[in-house]
């Protein structure tokens, strides 16, 4: 099967999960928070540990700082757009949405489809950089909408991914490896991360109405975010190639594709856990996911012959 077919085969069932969860969401109102808790405090940390231990050292040295810088700089166009939107959209949710790319739920199946398991380590390294920003500052911004600054900061410090990343890097430097017996469990965990992440989007969409979609505003938000992501990631990769130059062509392709990835499902996970802006977050992530599917398939279809194997 071609790379395009592999990506479609990997992603389309996940979009089916969104639609299914959307259809049944009203009957299981408790499910979104349960799934979010399982992901944030269980499955995502497990996946991160496995992939950090298996990543190449040069990937860990370059890709996480690169993606952290991109995530932080994405707050600038988000802030400028928020000023123009005024009270029509929560600026804190907007900033979190700009800075947090869906590297885990969307990126893992895309990288697997293009490069197999060897590509997953690259995308997890990118996730580390994105998560170090999104799971701290991004979570804080979403929490502050409801909780206030001090309480939001306290809640942000409870998110385990940052501690897991630090611990996994220390373990890797000490030569720790994941036992072979854990492979079947980790394979199932990777699938569940994508499935449950998409399900949370659908479950939250079940609570939305026509007035929540605001197509003109959402189009404007997604357009600015897409353009900003392309410029910043292209600039970051150009600087890496000019001054560092240690990333493999495969790494550059995966990191470059992240500019087309949707807003992270983590935004809906956090909004669900905190019970704030759930509908707005779900709509924005769902629309972003639809646009990104088209863009990734289009780009891979056009440039498939230039993608390294």
């Amino acid at each position: 099967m071609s790379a395009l077919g592999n990506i479609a085969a990997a992603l389309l069932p996940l979009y089916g999960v969104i639609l299914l969860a959307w259809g049944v969401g009203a009957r299981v109102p408790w499910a979104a928070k349960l799934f979010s808790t399982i992901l944030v405090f269980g499955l995502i940390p497990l996946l991160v540990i496995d992939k950090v231990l298996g990543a190449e050292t040069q990937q860990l040295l370059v890709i996480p700082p690169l993606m952290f810088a991109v995530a932080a700089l994405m707050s600038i166009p988000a802030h400028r757009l928020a000023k123009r939107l005024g009270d029509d959209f929560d600026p804190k949710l907007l900033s979190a949405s700009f800075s947090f790319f869906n590297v885990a739920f969307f990126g893992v199946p895309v990288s697997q489809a293009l490069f197999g398991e060897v590509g997953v380590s690259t995308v997890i390294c990118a996730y580390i950089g994105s998560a170090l920003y999104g799971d701290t500052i991004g979570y804080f911004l979403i929490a502050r909408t409801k909780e206030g600054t001090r309480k939001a900061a306290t809640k942000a410090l409870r998110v385990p991914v940052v501690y897991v990343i630090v611990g996994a890097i220390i373990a890797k430097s000490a030569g720790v490896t994941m036992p072979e017996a854990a492979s079947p469990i980790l394979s199932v965990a990777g699938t569940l991360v994508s499935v449950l992440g998409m399900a949370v989007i659908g479950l939250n969409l079940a609570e939305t109405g026509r007035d929540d979609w605001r197509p003109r505003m959402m189009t404007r938000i997604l357009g600015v975010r897409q353009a900003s992501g392309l410029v910043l990631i292209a600039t970051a990769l150009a600087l890496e190639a000019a001054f560092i130059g240690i990333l493999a062509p495969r790494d550059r392709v995966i990191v470059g594709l992240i500019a087309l990835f949707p807003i992270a499902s983590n935004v809906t996970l956090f909004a669900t856990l905190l019970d704030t802006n759930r509908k707005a977050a779900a709509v924005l992530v769902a629309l972003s996911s639809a646009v990104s599917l088209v863009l990734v398939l289009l780009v891979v279809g056009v440039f498939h012959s230039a993608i390294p194997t």
Side-chain angles (χ1 to χ4, degrees):
M1 189 182 294
S2 66
L4 192 64
N6 286 335
I7 292 175
L11 288 180
L12 290 179
L14 297 178
Y15 285 77
V17 172
I18 294 178
L19 295 176
L20 177 62
W22 191 352
V24 304
R27 302 177 186 176
V28 286
W30 45 266
K33 193 160 189 174
L34 174 63
F35 291 171
S36 298
T37 302
I38 292 171
L39 286 164
V40 172
F41 294 96
L43 292 176
I44 292 177
L46 180 61
L47 187 65
V48 167
I49 291 171
D50 175 50
K51 299 308 176 185
V52 169
L53 292 179
E56 297 177 12
T57 301
Q58 65 183 29
Q59 291 177 326
L60 288 170
L61 290 174
V62 175
I63 298 175
L66 184 152
M67 284 306 303
F68 184 92
V70 168
L73 290 171
M74 284 290 284
S75 64
I76 297 174
H79 176 70
R80 296 179 65 179
L81 179 60
K83 291 176 68 175
R84 293 196 292 271
L85 294 178
D87 295 332
D88 291 336
F89 201 90
D90 180 9
K92 301 177 187 65
L93 177 60
L94 189 68
S95 182
S97 299
F98 267 52
S99 296
F100 216 159
F101 294 86
N102 195 336
V103 182
F105 308 144
F106 190 92
V108 168
V110 168
S111 60
Q112 282 179 322
L114 287 174
F115 301 109
E117 287 300 320
V118 70
V120 178
S121 293
T122 302
V123 87
I124 290 298
C125 286
Y127 174 77
I128 289 169
S130 179
L132 284 173
Y133 185 90
D135 286 355
T136 54
I137 298 172
Y139 189 92
F140 169 76
L141 290 171
I142 296 172
R144 196 172 67 174
T145 299
K146 180 180 180 181
E147 307 288 359
T149 301
R150 180 175 297 180
K151 193 171 182 180
T154 300
K155 287 196 171 185
L157 291 173
R158 296 175 186 169
V159 178
V161 168
V162 175
Y163 308 111
V164 168
I165 290 171
V166 173
I169 291 174
I170 293 172
K172 179 176 176 59
S173 66
V176 176
T177 59
M178 189 66 70
E180 189 66 29
S183 295
I185 297 173
L186 293 167
S187 178
V188 173
T191 301
L192 284 175
V193 163
S194 293
V195 171
L196 294 184
M198 293 300 188
V200 171
I201 299 173
L203 290 166
N204 282 328
L205 285 176
E207 299 181 13
T208 65
R210 180 177 298 179
D211 293 340
D212 296 310
W213 287 81
R214 298 178 286 180
R216 291 182 63 182
M217 178 184 297
M218 295 299 179
T219 300
R220 185 179 182 185
I221 290 172
L222 293 179
V224 174
R225 179 186 177 273
Q226 193 68 73
S228 302
L230 285 168
V231 170
L232 288 174
I233 288 182
T235 301
L237 286 173
L239 291 172
E240 188 281 330
F243 297 104
I244 303 174
I246 65 173
L247 291 183
R250 180 191 67 239
D251 296 328
R252 294 196 177 105
V253 169
I254 293 174
V255 174
L257 282 174
I258 290 173
L260 306 178
F261 286 5
I263 297 168
S265 299
N266 291 59
V267 174
T268 59
L269 302 185
F270 295 158
T272 300
L273 289 175
L274 296 165
D275 196 22
T276 179
N277 286 320
R278 291 174 58 182
K279 292 189 287 185
V283 169
L284 196 54
V285 171
L287 291 175
S288 175
S289 298
V291 171
S292 291
L293 176 63
V294 174
L295 289 176
V296 168
L297 291 176
L298 179 63
V299 168
V300 171
V302 172
F303 297 102
H304 67 279
S305 61
I307 295 175
T309 57

